[in-house]
């Protein structure tokens, strides 16, 4: 039998047309960059990173991240110089109007890519890790990162948790969209969930149980950060802490929203069927195409009550209270 969580996983899954556009877009940008003679001399060797690579993107795919490892770039090349050269190459191919220079990357748009863009990030070797342009001052230097490791850790966590982690991340990302505005973003809740998983706070053999415990775990991690100053560790660089963009008010809003959502999901464990279904229906909201993510059963009302009578045209008869005369 198809459950609400089965339907929810389908509703947040990126559509095939978006996946095909994403694949076409990143291959095209990588080819453009790799055929440039200077970047070739710098040893460019690009890979995919980000939510698309980790298969935790939700509908619709907004961007694809290309991590451009410059394996032979001279050490005196600044982050801003690398960004300038990327801009030169990409604007020659796509036109300046389709390139947006960001703090650490170049964002490339193309009308044929179904509305998504590709972020190309220059990187240079730095011992065990890599460095990308320093977002606060790309003229003066670079900053350490290790994004490919996160892809590996995500895959390992998914295996360890019975293949529930990746689809669970998608549902938590969707819940974030329902609960709060842009910041903190999807990467934050993904890593808050990863932290909760490493702490043994997330469990369950079904997606329903996993989702409820995941919401509780994320709520605890956010609360610890906001109210007790416990920053989230960077799982890709032991001993380092993660930073995310959000104002104090946005952090407080996120902490309150996830705490309330976790409490609602927890109560749904023992609530009457329609009350529980309405809770998950509300928490998962609508996807980017405006479609309901978690559909209500035909005999349940949005307020969590059970429909009291048959409605003309209904194709399914409500189950009633399962008591018979």
């Amino acid at each position: 039998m198809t459950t609400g969580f089965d339907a929810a996983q389908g509703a947040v899954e990126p559509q095939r047309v978006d996946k095909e556009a994403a694949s076409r877009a990143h291959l095209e940008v990588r080819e453009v960059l790799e055929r440039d003679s200077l970047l070739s001399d710098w040893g460019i060797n690009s890979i995919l990173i980000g939510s698309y690579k980790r298969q935790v993107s939700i509908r619709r795919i907004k961007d694809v991240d290309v991590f451009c490892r410059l394996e032979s770039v001279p050490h005196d090349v600044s982050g801003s110089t690398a960004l300038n050269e990327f801009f030169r190459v990409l604007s020659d191919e796509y036109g300046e109007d389709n390139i947006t220079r960001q703090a650490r990357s170049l964002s490339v748009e193309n009308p044929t890519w179904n509305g998504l863009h590709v972020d190309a990030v220059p990187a240079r070797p730095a011992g065990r890790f890599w460095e990308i342009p320093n977002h606060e001052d790309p003229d003066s230097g670079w900053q350490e990162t290790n994004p490919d490791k996160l892809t590996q850790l995500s895959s390992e966590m998914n295996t360890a948790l019975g293949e529930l982690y990746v689809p669970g991340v998608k549902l938590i990302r969707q819940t974030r969209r329902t609960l709060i505005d842009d910041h903190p973003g999807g990467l934050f809740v993904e890593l808050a969930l990863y932290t909760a998983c490493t702490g043994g706070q997330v469990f369950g053999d079904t997606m329903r149980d996993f989702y409820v415990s995941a919401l509780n775990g994320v709520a605890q991690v956010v609360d610890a950060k906001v109210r007790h100053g416990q920053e989230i560790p960077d799982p890709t660089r032991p001993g380092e802490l993660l930073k995310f963009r959000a104002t104090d008010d946005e952090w407080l809003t996120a902490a309150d929203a996830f705490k309330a959502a976790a409490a609602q999901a927890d109560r749904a464990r023992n609530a009457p069927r329609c009350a529980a279904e309405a809770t998950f229906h509300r928490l998962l909201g609508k996807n980017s195409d405006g479609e309901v993510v978690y559909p209500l059963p035909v005999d349940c009302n949005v307020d969590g009550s059970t429909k009291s009578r048959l409605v003309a045209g209904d194709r399914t008869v409500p189950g009633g209270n399962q008591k018979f005369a």
Side-chain angles (χ1 to χ4, degrees), residues 5-323:
F5 278 98
D6 292 332
Q9 290 177 68
V12 301
E13 186 66 23
Q15 294 180 310
R16 187 175 68 178
V17 64
D18 284 340
K19 291 180 180 179
E20 291 174 349
S23 177
R24 188 168 65 251
H26 79 74
L27 289 173
E28 186 178 310
V29 168
R30 294 166 72 180
E31 180 185 354
V32 168
L33 291 169
E34 290 172 5
R35 70 178 181 227
D36 179 75
S37 59
L38 176 63
L39 299 185
S40 180
D41 288 344
W42 285 357
I44 186 169
N45 179 15
S46 64
I47 59 172
L48 285 176
I49 60 170
S51 59
Y52 174 76
K53 173 65 175 179
R54 297 192 298 278
Q55 300 181 9
V56 295
S57 292
I58 59 176
R59 194 184 304 182
R60 299 184 58 195
I61 299 174
K62 296 179 179 178
D63 56 45
V64 179
D65 298 318
V66 175
F67 194 66
C68 302
R69 300 175 297 186
L70 304 173
E71 296 175 343
S72 306
V73 66
H75 199 70
D76 59 354
V77 172
S78 68
S80 62
T81 298
L83 288 169
N84 288 342
E85 294 301 332
F86 273 53
F87 183 84
R88 171 184 59 78
V89 175
L90 294 170
S91 61
D92 283 349
E93 182 71 20
Y94 297 102
E96 291 189 9
D97 290 344
N98 291 315
I99 310 300
T100 301
R101 181 164 175 154
Q102 304 177 131
R104 296 177 292 197
S105 65
L106 279 301
S107 177
V108 188
E109 297 182 19
N110 187 316
T112 68
W113 295 345
N114 210 33
L116 64 80
H117 59 268
V118 175
D119 285 339
V121 187
R124 70 176 188 179
R128 294 181 299 159
F129 305 128
W130 293 87
E131 290 180 333
I132 60 177
N134 187 321
H135 73 285
E136 295 179 348
D137 186 6
D139 287 329
S140 65
W142 302 69
Q143 63 184 86
E144 193 175 78
T145 187
N146 192 20
D148 197 35
K149 180 69 174 179
L150 188 56
T151 303
Q152 175 192 336
L153 295 176
S154 179
S155 177
E156 291 173 354
M157 185 63 79
N158 194 45
T159 300
L161 295 179
E163 309 291 330
L164 291 175
Y165 176 74
V166 165
V169 169
K170 293 181 178 182
L171 293 182
I172 292 297
R173 279 177 170 255
Q174 171 63 31
T175 305
R176 187 208 69 81
R177 283 188 182 175
T178 304
L179 296 178
I180 61 177
D181 293 329
D182 291 343
H183 300 125
L187 180 61
F188 166 73
V189 292
E190 179 183 345
L191 286 165
L193 175 55
Y194 184 88
T195 301
C197 289
T198 59
Q201 298 166 270
V202 183
F203 49 83
D205 295 327
T206 66
M207 181 49 68
R208 174 188 166 115
D209 289 343
F210 185 92
Y211 175 76
V212 172
S213 66
L215 265 183
N216 274 283
V218 170
Q220 290 180 43
V221 171
V222 180
D223 191 70
K225 170 181 170 49
V226 173
R227 305 190 195 286
H228 304 289
Q230 295 179 19
E231 300 294 342
I232 299 177
D234 185 344
T236 71
R237 295 181 302 141
E240 301 295 329
L241 300 174
L242 294 167
K243 294 181 180 179
F244 300 94
R245 186 173 54 173
T247 66
D248 290 346
D249 285 346
E250 288 171 334
W251 282 119
L252 280 172
T253 297
D256 291 343
F258 273 99
K259 184 176 182 180
Q264 293 169 34
D266 204 43
R267 286 195 295 272
R269 290 179 191 270
N270 300 311
R273 182 177 59 85
C274 280
E277 295 289 298
T279 296
F280 299 127
H281 170 80
R282 184 171 58 253
L283 290 174
L284 286 160
K286 295 181 178 179
N287 64 22
S288 294
D289 290 333
E291 300 169 350
V292 168
V293 169
Y294 190 104
L296 278 174
V298 294
D299 61 329
C300 295
N301 292 310
V302 174
D303 65 1
S305 61
T306 303
K307 291 182 180 177
S308 59
R309 60 183 176 83
L310 292 175
V311 176
D314 274 359
R315 302 179 63 184
T316 304
V317 178
N321 59 11
Q322 298 184 4
K323 295 180 179 178

